[in-house]
Amino acid sequence: MNQKISWIYFVIVFLSIAFSMIFHEFGHYIVGIVLGYHMQMDLDSVRAIGEYSSSLDMKLEILGGPLFTLLQTVIVALVLLIRKSILLYPLLIGGAMMRVIPYLNGFFNYDTILKEDEGKLSAAIGLSPVVLPILVIIILIGIVIYIQYRLKF
């Protein structure tokens, strides 16, 4: 394999993971701003400055990150179907892995599930904390598998 291509691909993978993290957090940020809150954003977290005025606002802000991750995955999947470029693949898998990896840790530490967006939201709406994480993971991994099957990656 050409070393230059390997190096470039490594950089693309790294940047894709960083982009996926930032885009996910940006989802929380945008929803908070749209709801009228002043938001503070770090690399791996976003929070409202002050209290939420309602439980619904808090739930919507939590939902913003996973929705942006799903949006990223769907858009990249559509672009991959059109462009068929392996260089875009890390953006597809980056979003999915960003949601899967924390929940793999949750198998060994149940409290981890309650710290992640989907687990928090599940508990907040009265479901078992594993319901939304499983649903989101099935959707994201399903999209990745579909693209792999269609494009023979």
Side-chain angles (χ1 to χ4, degrees), residues 8 49 66 68 73 77 80 91 111-112 116 118 123 127:
I8 290 170
I49 299 172
F68 266 54
T73 304
L80 273 167
L91 272 175
D111 292 336
T112 301
E116 296 297 327
E118 297 85 353
L127 298 173

Side-chain angles (χ1 to χ4, degrees), residues 102-123:
Y103 292 108
L104 290 177
N105 184 37
F107 285 119
F108 305 106
N109 181 359
Y110 189 74
D111 292 336
T112 301
I113 293 173
L114 295 173
K115 292 178 184 172
E116 296 297 327
D117 298 330
E118 297 85 353
K120 280 193 276 190
L121 190 57
S122 266

